Amino acid sequence: MKRVVVGLSGGVDSSVAAYLLKEQGYDVIGMFMKNWHDDSVTISNECPWLDDSNDAMIVAQHLGIPFQAIDLSNEYKERIVDYMFAEYKAGRTPNPDILCNREIKFDIFLNAAVKLGADFVATGHYARREEIEIDKKKAYRLLAGKDPNKDQSYFLCQLTQTQLSKALFPVGELLKPEVRAIAKKAGLATAEKKDSQGLCFIGKVHLPDFLQQRLETKKGKVIEVSASSSVFQNGWAQDDLIHIAQPYSLDPKSGEVVGDHNGAHYYTIGQRRGLNLGGFEKPLFVIGTDTEKNIIYTGMGEDHPGLYRKGLFIPLADEHWVREDLKLQNGEIRNTQARIRYRQPLEGCTLHQKENGLYIIFDKPQRGITPGQFAAWYDGEELIGSGVIAN
């Protein structure tokens, strides 16, 4: 009998994952990950880890499976939280959920599961894994979840073939209403529980409070740049990948000072909330940040050209191919689809592999291309690679 350790988060998805695996005849163990001790920055009652742990334990008892909690807070701080602070300080916007899957769930947690004799680890992700054969060797495809509204393959975009070989996603073939129906029929305590939001296994965090633990407030200027500014009139040739993938060259002379902020590292491209500036014809959006000069650049309205770009660049060191056999070689081009954030519809694009990294040029301009975030590219419903956006 194959043994599976399920990451029970205290939510309905992982609860049903455990239930389904037990029904399929696996030897199932439930394990709750505690990744955070500091409740001062969490928004109360949104996702307290203690309640989640209790819910996970209740589900395990109901299913008659062994249960234990594992404290990974030190590892989480080192690999996720410290990384987040460093990225924000540098004016980049990290994605901790993707890092949590790569560094915690499918690394440290996976290793802990293996020590318990596990053949697999399972989570409640809405994604699918398919085993195939390439040159008489096993390979694994990471596929989108069946529920288009819940597909979470993007969050798994940094997994390796080794990690996928040990991963199971039991709810990936189901729609969310089906998962809730199964939970209700099975009498699981989490059947009606709301989905949690926020940082992976921490809960909903008030980000400014979180960042202010280490990143001091620092008054700076907010500059509004007109949509008609020559900065946005680039006219680059189609094959000028470097310029197409570069952010707009904004400087204090690009616009007018319209207010103050408390620190450029608290803001991200595309952000609207938190500027606290009124009296404009249309809402202001962040179109650029400069953490060295502590300046925020803004533009008026959803359709401001500063919010949109056609290209991005991923350095070679930050490229990751889930399917190594599909990796592009220097000089190769591939037409495919990509997304730059969770739940964004897949957008047509062309991958250009160069010696220094990967250029992604989209068929249509994309809103809010943000350094530090992950771009993930797909072949149909299969996620084949991803990388950290440099610019």
Side-chain angles (χ1 to χ4, degrees), residues 122-137:
T123 64
H125 282 105
Y126 285 82
R128 293 172 293 146
R129 184 201 74 153
E130 185 180 272
E131 189 177 301
I132 58 174
E133 196 173 278
I134 300 172
D135 297 330
K136 297 184 179 179
K137 290 182 181 178

Side-chain angles (χ1 to χ4, degrees), residues 149-351:
N149 296 314
K150 293 294 293 183
D151 168 37
Q152 293 174 313
S153 58
Y154 174 76
F155 288 135
L156 303 167
C157 69
Q158 286 278 294
L159 296 194
T160 64
Q161 284 289 303
T162 300
Q163 289 170 320
L164 279 174
S165 74
K166 297 285 187 183
L168 296 176
F169 309 115
V171 303
E173 296 284 351
L174 301 171
L175 304 180
K176 183 72 178 199
E178 293 175 320
V179 169
R180 290 212 181 270
I182 290 169
K184 195 170 183 180
K185 189 175 179 182
L188 300 179
T190 53
E192 303 294 333
K193 188 175 179 179
K194 279 185 178 180
D195 291 344
S196 65
Q197 293 180 329
L199 297 184
C200 171
F201 279 97
I202 286 182
K204 201 162 186 178
V205 167
H206 189 247
L207 198 57
D209 290 350
F210 184 75
L211 294 176
Q212 282 172 26
Q213 288 185 327
R214 282 198 224 167
L215 304 181
E216 293 180 4
T217 57
K218 186 181 174 186
K219 283 286 183 186
K221 299 300 181 186
V222 177
I223 293 177
E224 190 227 329
V225 185
S226 168
S228 60
S229 170
S230 60
V231 169
F232 309 117
Q233 318 301 318
N234 51 55
W236 307 120
Q238 290 292 326
D239 59 352
D240 189 350
L241 303 179
I242 293 174
H243 281 109
I244 293 173
Q246 275 180 349
Y248 296 112
S249 299
L250 300 170
D251 63 49
K253 296 177 183 176
S254 300
E256 296 181 5
V257 175
V258 292
D260 297 320
H261 62 78
N262 289 322
H265 41 252
Y266 297 143
Y267 296 86
T268 186
I269 293 170
Q271 182 174 335
R272 174 183 169 185
R273 296 180 186 277
L275 286 169
N276 301 318
L277 294 171
F280 294 90
E281 187 181 337
K282 298 177 182 177
L284 286 184
F285 291 86
V286 176
I287 61 172
T289 63
D290 184 336
T291 53
E292 287 188 16
K293 294 178 181 175
N294 198 30
I295 295 172
I296 293 174
Y297 296 96
T298 62
M300 250 200 298
E302 289 265 10
D303 56 352
H304 193 283
L307 287 170
Y308 295 86
R309 283 169 42 204
K310 278 200 74 173
L312 60 87
F313 174 66
I314 296 168
L316 191 63
D318 291 327
E319 274 185 56
H320 171 75
W321 291 83
V322 178
R323 288 281 303 278
E324 285 282 345
D325 58 302
L326 298 178
K327 185 175 181 178
L328 292 179
Q329 301 304 310
N330 185 22
E332 288 188 332
I333 294 172
R334 178 178 295 155
N335 293 321
T336 184
Q337 292 181 303
R339 58 169 51 106
I340 56 174
R341 63 181 62 86
Y342 173 53
R343 299 193 77 167
Q344 179 199 23
L346 287 173
E347 299 284 348
C349 66
T350 305
L351 307 182

Side-chain angles (χ1 to χ4, degrees), residues 9-185:
S9 67
V12 65
D13 301 325
S14 61
S15 301
V16 170
Y19 168 78
L20 291 173
L21 290 167
K22 193 184 178 200
E23 289 290 298
Q24 291 165 18
Y26 286 97
D27 174 18
V28 180
I29 297 172
M31 191 182 282
F32 177 83
M33 287 174 258
K34 181 183 178 185
N35 289 347
W36 195 245
H37 287 297
D38 185 359
D39 294 329
S40 66
V41 294
T42 56
I43 298 174
S44 60
N45 301 322
E46 285 288 350
C47 183
W49 71 265
L50 196 57
D51 289 350
D52 287 340
S53 177
N54 287 335
D55 288 343
M57 183 171 63
I58 290 167
V59 166
Q61 289 174 340
H62 181 76
L63 294 176
I65 61 174
F67 175 80
Q68 67 182 75
I70 182 171
D71 189 340
L72 301 178
S73 50
N74 288 336
E75 293 88 345
Y76 192 91
K77 179 188 173 298
E78 289 172 8
R79 297 201 188 190
I80 310 300
V81 177
D82 289 351
Y83 171 84
M84 282 181 63
F85 280 119
E87 287 289 274
Y88 275 109
K89 188 176 182 180
R92 291 153 61 91
T93 305
N95 190 312
D97 291 311
I98 290 175
L99 268 294
C100 182
N101 285 318
R102 186 184 79 187
E103 301 288 334
I104 305 295
K105 291 180 192 169
F106 294 96
D107 186 0
I108 296 168
F109 179 76
L110 172 58
N111 291 335
V114 169
K115 288 178 182 175
L116 293 175
D119 299 285
F120 302 100
V121 293
T123 64
H125 282 105
Y126 285 82
R128 293 172 293 146
R129 184 201 74 153
E130 185 180 272
E131 189 177 301
I132 58 174
E133 196 173 278
I134 300 172
D135 297 330
K136 297 184 179 179
K137 290 182 181 178
K138 285 183 181 178
Y140 300 89
R141 302 175 75 212
L142 175 59
L143 305 173
K146 283 285 188 186
D147 190 332
N149 296 314
K150 293 294 293 183
D151 168 37
Q152 293 174 313
S153 58
Y154 174 76
F155 288 135
L156 303 167
C157 69
Q158 286 278 294
L159 296 194
T160 64
Q161 284 289 303
T162 300
Q163 289 170 320
L164 279 174
S165 74
K166 297 285 187 183
L168 296 176
F169 309 115
V171 303
E173 296 284 351
L174 301 171
L175 304 180
K176 183 72 178 199
E178 293 175 320
V179 169
R180 290 212 181 270
I182 290 169
K184 195 170 183 180
K185 189 175 179 182

Side-chain angles (χ1 to χ4, degrees), residues 353-391:
Q353 185 67 59
K354 299 297 181 182
E355 192 174 352
N356 61 334
L358 187 72
Y359 291 89
I360 302 181
I361 309 300
F362 289 94
D363 298 347
K364 297 184 296 185
Q366 298 299 300
R367 187 182 190 277
I369 292 176
T370 307
Q373 289 281 290
F374 287 83
W377 47 96
Y378 290 69
D379 180 5
E381 60 181 359
E382 181 182 7
L383 193 159
I384 58 175
S386 67
V388 183
I389 299 170
N391 53 41

